[in-house]
mmCIF file of all heavy atoms in Angstrom:
data_model
loop_
_atom_site.group_PDB
_atom_site.id
_atom_site.type_symbol
_atom_site.label_atom_id
_atom_site.label_comp_id
_atom_site.label_asym_id
_atom_site.label_seq_id
_atom_site.Cartn_x
_atom_site.Cartn_y
_atom_site.Cartn_z
ATOM 1 N N GLY A 1 -8.713 -0.518 6.235
ATOM 2 C CA GLY A 1 -9.778 -1.361 6.699
ATOM 3 C C GLY A 1 -9.270 -2.848 6.657
ATOM 4 O O GLY A 1 -9.541 -3.656 7.531
ATOM 5 N N VAL A 2 -8.641 -3.201 5.536
ATOM 6 C CA VAL A 2 -8.216 -4.567 5.334
ATOM 7 C C VAL A 2 -7.154 -4.888 6.495
ATOM 8 O O VAL A 2 -7.165 -5.969 7.111
ATOM 9 C CB VAL A 2 -7.614 -4.799 3.987
ATOM 10 C CG1 VAL A 2 -6.930 -6.279 3.859
ATOM 11 C CG2 VAL A 2 -8.627 -4.729 2.920
ATOM 12 N N LEU A 3 -6.180 -4.015 6.677
ATOM 13 C CA LEU A 3 -5.112 -4.177 7.650
ATOM 14 C C LEU A 3 -5.726 -4.266 9.082
ATOM 15 O O LEU A 3 -5.393 -5.045 9.900
ATOM 16 C CB LEU A 3 -4.103 -3.108 7.557
ATOM 17 C CG LEU A 3 -2.809 -3.376 6.689
ATOM 18 C CD1 LEU A 3 -3.251 -3.541 5.313
ATOM 19 C CD2 LEU A 3 -1.895 -2.275 6.879
ATOM 20 N N GLY A 4 -6.754 -3.398 9.267
ATOM 21 C CA GLY A 4 -7.501 -3.499 10.626
ATOM 22 C C GLY A 4 -8.135 -4.798 10.824
ATOM 23 O O GLY A 4 -8.055 -5.335 11.958
ATOM 24 N N ARG A 5 -8.760 -5.315 9.817
ATOM 25 C CA ARG A 5 -9.495 -6.654 9.890
ATOM 26 C C ARG A 5 -8.352 -7.721 10.162
ATOM 27 O O ARG A 5 -8.763 -8.860 10.799
ATOM 28 C CB ARG A 5 -10.239 -7.002 8.753
ATOM 29 C CG ARG A 5 -11.580 -6.172 8.717
ATOM 30 C CD ARG A 5 -12.540 -6.542 7.675
ATOM 31 N NE ARG A 5 -12.035 -6.512 6.248
ATOM 32 C CZ ARG A 5 -12.136 -5.376 5.631
ATOM 33 N NH1 ARG A 5 -12.812 -4.357 6.065
ATOM 34 N NH2 ARG A 5 -11.647 -5.220 4.350
ATOM 35 N N ARG A 6 -7.227 -7.522 9.709
ATOM 36 C CA ARG A 6 -6.153 -8.557 9.991
ATOM 37 C C ARG A 6 -5.493 -8.341 11.334
ATOM 38 O O ARG A 6 -4.485 -9.074 11.715
ATOM 39 C CB ARG A 6 -5.054 -8.445 8.906
ATOM 40 C CG ARG A 6 -5.533 -8.838 7.454
ATOM 41 C CD ARG A 6 -4.432 -8.834 6.464
ATOM 42 N NE ARG A 6 -4.855 -9.211 5.145
ATOM 43 C CZ ARG A 6 -4.106 -9.330 4.101
ATOM 44 N NH1 ARG A 6 -2.815 -9.002 4.166
ATOM 45 N NH2 ARG A 6 -4.589 -9.646 2.987
ATOM 46 N N GLY A 7 -5.971 -7.442 12.091
ATOM 47 C CA GLY A 7 -5.425 -7.284 13.362
ATOM 48 C C GLY A 7 -4.349 -6.182 13.531
ATOM 49 O O GLY A 7 -3.736 -6.082 14.741
ATOM 50 N N ALA A 8 -4.155 -5.313 12.540
ATOM 51 C CA ALA A 8 -3.134 -4.259 12.754
ATOM 52 C C ALA A 8 -3.621 -3.134 13.560
ATOM 53 O O ALA A 8 -4.885 -2.718 13.278
ATOM 54 C CB ALA A 8 -2.706 -3.822 11.438
ATOM 55 N N ASP A 9 -2.883 -2.584 14.484
ATOM 56 C CA ASP A 9 -3.344 -1.473 15.222
ATOM 57 C C ASP A 9 -3.334 -0.147 14.348
ATOM 58 O O ASP A 9 -2.527 -0.181 13.259
ATOM 59 C CB ASP A 9 -2.491 -1.156 16.487
ATOM 60 C CG ASP A 9 -1.053 -0.847 16.067
ATOM 61 O OD1 ASP A 9 -0.273 -1.675 15.835
ATOM 62 O OD2 ASP A 9 -0.627 0.344 16.051
ATOM 63 N N PHE A 10 -4.138 0.792 14.495
ATOM 64 C CA PHE A 10 -4.367 1.821 13.508
ATOM 65 C C PHE A 10 -3.096 2.603 13.308
ATOM 66 O O PHE A 10 -2.791 2.995 12.128
ATOM 67 C CB PHE A 10 -5.474 2.749 14.071
ATOM 68 C CG PHE A 10 -5.897 3.870 13.032
ATOM 69 C CD1 PHE A 10 -6.634 3.538 11.977
ATOM 70 C CD2 PHE A 10 -5.514 5.108 13.219
ATOM 71 C CE1 PHE A 10 -6.985 4.487 11.039
ATOM 72 C CE2 PHE A 10 -5.802 6.107 12.305
ATOM 73 C CZ PHE A 10 -6.581 5.755 11.267
ATOM 74 N N ALA A 11 -2.411 3.029 14.371
ATOM 75 C CA ALA A 11 -1.229 3.928 14.213
ATOM 76 C C ALA A 11 -0.097 3.247 13.365
ATOM 77 O O ALA A 11 0.434 3.778 12.414
ATOM 78 C CB ALA A 11 -0.643 4.251 15.517
ATOM 79 N N THR A 12 0.138 1.995 13.735
ATOM 80 C CA THR A 12 1.107 1.287 12.899
ATOM 81 C C THR A 12 0.713 1.029 11.438
ATOM 82 O O THR A 12 1.457 1.023 10.512
ATOM 83 C CB THR A 12 1.509 -0.147 13.541
ATOM 84 O OG1 THR A 12 1.890 0.116 14.859
ATOM 85 C CG2 THR A 12 2.723 -0.736 12.808
ATOM 86 N N ALA A 13 -0.647 0.632 11.315
ATOM 87 C CA ALA A 13 -1.197 0.520 9.981
ATOM 88 C C ALA A 13 -1.069 1.734 9.067
ATOM 89 O O ALA A 13 -0.784 1.693 7.866
ATOM 90 C CB ALA A 13 -2.734 0.121 10.029
ATOM 91 N N GLU A 14 -1.374 2.867 9.729
ATOM 92 C CA GLU A 14 -1.243 4.162 8.970
ATOM 93 C C GLU A 14 0.318 4.308 8.472
ATOM 94 O O GLU A 14 0.434 4.739 7.303
ATOM 95 C CB GLU A 14 -1.540 5.381 9.865
ATOM 96 C CG GLU A 14 -2.961 5.690 9.898
ATOM 97 C CD GLU A 14 -3.227 7.043 10.569
ATOM 98 O OE1 GLU A 14 -2.476 7.389 11.535
ATOM 99 O OE2 GLU A 14 -4.080 7.763 10.146
ATOM 100 N N ASP A 15 1.195 4.012 9.319
ATOM 101 C CA ASP A 15 2.634 4.108 8.902
ATOM 102 C C ASP A 15 2.960 3.105 7.714
ATOM 103 O O ASP A 15 3.716 3.471 6.730
ATOM 104 C CB ASP A 15 3.532 3.854 9.992
ATOM 105 C CG ASP A 15 3.730 5.033 11.021
ATOM 106 O OD1 ASP A 15 3.274 6.196 10.596
ATOM 107 O OD2 ASP A 15 4.146 4.868 12.138
ATOM 108 N N ALA A 16 2.455 1.995 7.837
ATOM 109 C CA ALA A 16 2.621 0.862 6.900
ATOM 110 C C ALA A 16 1.987 1.330 5.530
ATOM 111 O O ALA A 16 2.708 1.163 4.489
ATOM 112 C CB ALA A 16 2.070 -0.465 7.352
ATOM 113 N N VAL A 17 0.837 1.820 5.535
ATOM 114 C CA VAL A 17 0.138 2.299 4.296
ATOM 115 C C VAL A 17 0.953 3.466 3.653
ATOM 116 O O VAL A 17 1.085 3.471 2.411
ATOM 117 C CB VAL A 17 -1.378 2.611 4.500
ATOM 118 C CG1 VAL A 17 -1.979 3.250 3.366
ATOM 119 C CG2 VAL A 17 -2.051 1.466 4.984
ATOM 120 N N GLN A 18 1.360 4.401 4.557
ATOM 121 C CA GLN A 18 2.188 5.509 4.082
ATOM 122 C C GLN A 18 3.427 4.903 3.322
ATOM 123 O O GLN A 18 3.721 5.486 2.196
ATOM 124 C CB GLN A 18 2.598 6.364 5.336
ATOM 125 C CG GLN A 18 3.261 7.667 4.851
ATOM 126 C CD GLN A 18 3.606 8.532 6.166
ATOM 127 O OE1 GLN A 18 4.433 8.150 6.893
ATOM 128 N NE2 GLN A 18 2.763 9.582 6.263
ATOM 129 N N ASP A 19 4.185 3.993 3.939
ATOM 130 C CA ASP A 19 5.305 3.509 3.303
ATOM 131 C C ASP A 19 4.850 2.810 1.923
ATOM 132 O O ASP A 19 5.741 2.879 0.882
ATOM 133 C CB ASP A 19 5.984 2.436 4.110
ATOM 134 C CG ASP A 19 6.734 3.082 5.201
ATOM 135 O OD1 ASP A 19 6.770 4.301 5.323
ATOM 136 O OD2 ASP A 19 7.306 2.290 6.157
ATOM 137 N N ALA A 20 3.752 2.053 1.930
ATOM 138 C CA ALA A 20 3.350 1.491 0.666
ATOM 139 C C ALA A 20 2.991 2.559 -0.393
ATOM 140 O O ALA A 20 3.336 2.299 -1.583
ATOM 141 C CB ALA A 20 2.040 0.558 0.970
ATOM 142 N N LEU A 21 2.473 3.612 0.006
ATOM 143 C CA LEU A 21 2.167 4.694 -0.956
ATOM 144 C C LEU A 21 3.450 5.323 -1.549
ATOM 145 O O LEU A 21 3.552 5.578 -2.740
ATOM 146 C CB LEU A 21 1.318 5.804 -0.309
ATOM 147 C CG LEU A 21 -0.152 5.451 0.111
ATOM 148 C CD1 LEU A 21 -0.651 6.567 0.911
ATOM 149 C CD2 LEU A 21 -1.002 5.112 -0.990
ATOM 150 N N VAL A 22 4.415 5.441 -0.705
ATOM 151 C CA VAL A 22 5.733 5.922 -1.099
ATOM 152 C C VAL A 22 6.322 4.943 -2.256
ATOM 153 O O VAL A 22 6.756 5.376 -3.276
ATOM 154 C CB VAL A 22 6.732 6.102 -0.016
ATOM 155 C CG1 VAL A 22 8.191 6.439 -0.524
ATOM 156 C CG2 VAL A 22 6.310 7.208 0.862
ATOM 157 N N GLU A 23 6.264 3.714 -1.922
ATOM 158 C CA GLU A 23 6.744 2.674 -2.891
ATOM 159 C C GLU A 23 5.862 2.735 -4.166
ATOM 160 O O GLU A 23 6.528 2.504 -5.262
ATOM 161 C CB GLU A 23 6.703 1.330 -2.118
ATOM 162 C CG GLU A 23 7.242 0.202 -3.101
ATOM 163 C CD GLU A 23 8.704 0.225 -3.228
ATOM 164 O OE1 GLU A 23 9.366 1.049 -2.544
ATOM 165 O OE2 GLU A 23 9.302 -0.496 -4.134
ATOM 166 N N ALA A 24 4.595 2.872 -4.070
ATOM 167 C CA ALA A 24 3.727 2.979 -5.250
ATOM 168 C C ALA A 24 4.205 4.188 -6.235
ATOM 169 O O ALA A 24 4.242 4.004 -7.373
ATOM 170 C CB ALA A 24 2.281 3.029 -4.808
ATOM 171 N N ILE A 25 4.340 5.280 -5.485
ATOM 172 C CA ILE A 25 4.703 6.471 -6.230
ATOM 173 C C ILE A 25 6.113 6.261 -6.970
ATOM 174 O O ILE A 25 6.400 6.669 -8.114
ATOM 175 C CB ILE A 25 4.843 7.731 -5.311
ATOM 176 C CG1 ILE A 25 3.530 8.134 -4.798
ATOM 177 C CG2 ILE A 25 5.618 8.936 -6.036
ATOM 178 C CD1 ILE A 25 3.504 9.166 -3.663
ATOM 179 N N ARG A 26 7.023 5.501 -6.409
ATOM 180 C CA ARG A 26 8.270 5.215 -7.005
ATOM 181 C C ARG A 26 8.190 4.217 -8.034
ATOM 182 O O ARG A 26 8.943 4.245 -9.085
ATOM 183 C CB ARG A 26 9.165 4.663 -5.959
ATOM 184 C CG ARG A 26 10.633 4.496 -6.311
ATOM 185 C CD ARG A 26 11.521 4.103 -5.144
ATOM 186 N NE ARG A 26 11.293 2.717 -4.751
ATOM 187 C CZ ARG A 26 11.925 1.637 -5.386
ATOM 188 N NH1 ARG A 26 12.645 1.805 -6.442
ATOM 189 N NH2 ARG A 26 11.560 0.480 -5.030
ATOM 190 N N THR A 27 7.276 3.133 -7.997
ATOM 191 C CA THR A 27 7.376 1.989 -9.001
ATOM 192 C C THR A 27 6.245 2.031 -9.928
ATOM 193 O O THR A 27 6.402 1.467 -11.097
ATOM 194 C CB THR A 27 7.362 0.758 -8.145
ATOM 195 O OG1 THR A 27 6.184 0.591 -7.401
ATOM 196 C CG2 THR A 27 8.620 0.660 -7.240
ATOM 197 N N TRP A 28 5.070 2.437 -9.572
ATOM 198 C CA TRP A 28 3.925 2.432 -10.516
ATOM 199 C C TRP A 28 4.100 2.953 -11.778
ATOM 200 O O TRP A 28 3.659 2.532 -12.837
ATOM 201 C CB TRP A 28 2.639 2.850 -9.862
ATOM 202 C CG TRP A 28 2.103 1.969 -8.791
ATOM 203 C CD1 TRP A 28 2.723 0.922 -8.264
ATOM 204 C CD2 TRP A 28 0.800 1.922 -8.221
ATOM 205 N NE1 TRP A 28 1.915 0.183 -7.322
ATOM 206 C CE2 TRP A 28 0.678 0.965 -7.296
ATOM 207 C CE3 TRP A 28 -0.362 2.931 -8.324
ATOM 208 C CZ2 TRP A 28 -0.479 0.704 -6.531
ATOM 209 C CZ3 TRP A 28 -1.402 2.598 -7.548
ATOM 210 C CH2 TRP A 28 -1.479 1.584 -6.649
ATOM 211 N N PRO A 29 4.787 4.193 -11.886
ATOM 212 C CA PRO A 29 4.897 4.887 -13.288
ATOM 213 C C PRO A 29 5.601 3.925 -14.346
ATOM 214 O O PRO A 29 5.405 3.967 -15.475
ATOM 215 C CB PRO A 29 5.731 6.072 -13.073
ATOM 216 C CG PRO A 29 5.387 6.475 -11.580
ATOM 217 C CD PRO A 29 5.356 5.135 -10.886
ATOM 218 N N VAL A 30 6.498 3.047 -13.764
ATOM 219 C CA VAL A 30 7.289 2.122 -14.585
ATOM 220 C C VAL A 30 6.661 0.812 -14.602
ATOM 221 O O VAL A 30 6.519 0.168 -15.794
ATOM 222 C CB VAL A 30 8.658 1.951 -14.060
ATOM 223 C CG1 VAL A 30 9.510 0.932 -14.813
ATOM 224 C CG2 VAL A 30 9.367 3.253 -13.983
ATOM 225 N N ASP A 31 6.044 0.310 -13.610
ATOM 226 C CA ASP A 31 5.409 -1.017 -13.562
ATOM 227 C C ASP A 31 4.125 -0.974 -12.901
ATOM 228 O O ASP A 31 4.016 -1.532 -11.774
ATOM 229 C CB ASP A 31 6.433 -2.005 -12.881
ATOM 230 C CG ASP A 31 5.804 -3.473 -12.952
ATOM 231 O OD1 ASP A 31 4.983 -3.719 -13.764
ATOM 232 O OD2 ASP A 31 6.294 -4.283 -12.114
ATOM 233 N N PRO A 32 3.002 -0.454 -13.517
ATOM 234 C CA PRO A 32 1.730 -0.291 -12.819
ATOM 235 C C PRO A 32 1.055 -1.734 -12.592
ATOM 236 O O PRO A 32 1.150 -2.545 -13.465
ATOM 237 C CB PRO A 32 0.840 0.521 -13.837
ATOM 238 C CG PRO A 32 1.559 0.163 -15.073
ATOM 239 C CD PRO A 32 2.974 0.021 -14.910
ATOM 240 N N PRO A 33 0.507 -1.901 -11.419
ATOM 241 C CA PRO A 33 -0.079 -3.116 -11.035
ATOM 242 C C PRO A 33 -1.475 -3.269 -11.751
ATOM 243 O O PRO A 33 -2.124 -2.270 -11.948
ATOM 244 C CB PRO A 33 -0.284 -3.075 -9.579
ATOM 245 C CG PRO A 33 -0.458 -1.664 -9.238
ATOM 246 C CD PRO A 33 0.375 -0.912 -10.326
ATOM 247 N N ARG A 34 -1.838 -4.508 -11.907
ATOM 248 C CA ARG A 34 -3.229 -4.821 -12.428
ATOM 249 C C ARG A 34 -4.322 -4.582 -11.432
ATOM 250 O O ARG A 34 -5.423 -4.250 -11.644
ATOM 251 C CB ARG A 34 -3.321 -6.215 -13.022
ATOM 252 C CG ARG A 34 -2.598 -6.424 -14.347
ATOM 253 C CD ARG A 34 -2.637 -7.797 -14.788
ATOM 254 N NE ARG A 34 -1.909 -8.765 -14.056
ATOM 255 C CZ ARG A 34 -1.761 -10.081 -14.164
ATOM 256 N NH1 ARG A 34 -2.464 -10.589 -15.269
ATOM 257 N NH2 ARG A 34 -1.119 -10.788 -13.498
ATOM 258 N N ASP A 35 -3.927 -4.808 -10.181
ATOM 259 C CA ASP A 35 -4.879 -4.707 -9.068
ATOM 260 C C ASP A 35 -4.357 -3.665 -7.998
ATOM 261 O O ASP A 35 -3.548 -4.151 -7.132
ATOM 262 C CB ASP A 35 -5.220 -6.039 -8.327
ATOM 263 C CG ASP A 35 -6.181 -5.943 -7.220
ATOM 264 O OD1 ASP A 35 -6.663 -4.794 -6.973
ATOM 265 O OD2 ASP A 35 -6.337 -6.922 -6.512
ATOM 266 N N PRO A 36 -4.558 -2.329 -8.282
ATOM 267 C CA PRO A 36 -3.780 -1.437 -7.361
ATOM 268 C C PRO A 36 -4.071 -1.510 -5.799
ATOM 269 O O PRO A 36 -3.250 -1.520 -5.011
ATOM 270 C CB PRO A 36 -4.326 -0.048 -7.902
ATOM 271 C CG PRO A 36 -4.669 -0.345 -9.155
ATOM 272 C CD PRO A 36 -5.247 -1.765 -9.191
ATOM 273 N N LYS A 37 -5.351 -1.851 -5.532
ATOM 274 C CA LYS A 37 -5.760 -2.018 -4.071
ATOM 275 C C LYS A 37 -5.010 -3.288 -3.568
ATOM 276 O O LYS A 37 -4.533 -3.238 -2.472
ATOM 277 C CB LYS A 37 -7.218 -2.113 -3.856
ATOM 278 C CG LYS A 37 -7.617 -2.283 -2.430
ATOM 279 C CD LYS A 37 -9.140 -2.366 -2.151
ATOM 280 C CE LYS A 37 -9.489 -2.601 -0.735
ATOM 281 N NZ LYS A 37 -10.923 -2.702 -0.537
ATOM 282 N N GLY A 38 -5.022 -4.362 -4.243
ATOM 283 C CA GLY A 38 -4.402 -5.615 -3.757
ATOM 284 C C GLY A 38 -2.879 -5.343 -3.663
ATOM 285 O O GLY A 38 -2.263 -5.930 -2.652
ATOM 286 N N TRP A 39 -2.301 -4.600 -4.589
ATOM 287 C CA TRP A 39 -0.961 -4.435 -4.474
ATOM 288 C C TRP A 39 -0.578 -3.648 -3.270
ATOM 289 O O TRP A 39 0.410 -4.004 -2.430
ATOM 290 C CB TRP A 39 -0.412 -3.627 -5.693
ATOM 291 C CG TRP A 39 1.067 -3.380 -5.926
ATOM 292 C CD1 TRP A 39 1.866 -4.139 -6.726
ATOM 293 C CD2 TRP A 39 1.748 -2.420 -5.301
ATOM 294 N NE1 TRP A 39 3.196 -3.605 -6.522
ATOM 295 C CE2 TRP A 39 3.097 -2.523 -5.606
ATOM 296 C CE3 TRP A 39 1.522 -1.319 -4.348
ATOM 297 C CZ2 TRP A 39 4.210 -1.704 -5.254
ATOM 298 C CZ3 TRP A 39 2.531 -0.496 -3.928
ATOM 299 C CH2 TRP A 39 3.840 -0.740 -4.360
ATOM 300 N N LEU A 40 -1.395 -2.587 -2.896
ATOM 301 C CA LEU A 40 -1.123 -1.803 -1.703
ATOM 302 C C LEU A 40 -1.352 -2.644 -0.488
ATOM 303 O O LEU A 40 -0.579 -2.512 0.490
ATOM 304 C CB LEU A 40 -2.145 -0.531 -1.616
ATOM 305 C CG LEU A 40 -1.724 0.569 -2.636
ATOM 306 C CD1 LEU A 40 -2.848 1.676 -2.670
ATOM 307 C CD2 LEU A 40 -0.371 1.255 -2.157
#
């Protein structure tokens, strides 16, 4: 929703969020963010 309000088309936004999730799975166990949604 945030990416959509910033003007991102849905298909590309989905891919971008998917990549962010992959990065979260890789880094959060070692360095969890204080604001998960903001980080994503």
Side-chain angles (χ1 to χ4, degrees):
V2 173
L3 266 60
R5 288 192 293 275
R6 292 183 180 182
D9 66 277
F10 185 75
T12 310
E14 275 194 319
D15 283 346
V17 172
Q18 188 177 72
D19 285 355
L21 293 174
V22 171
E23 184 67 11
I25 292 170
R26 189 178 70 86
T27 62
W28 283 13
V30 177
D31 184 21
R34 285 179 292 181
D35 179 7
K37 181 179 177 181
W39 188 98
L40 284 173

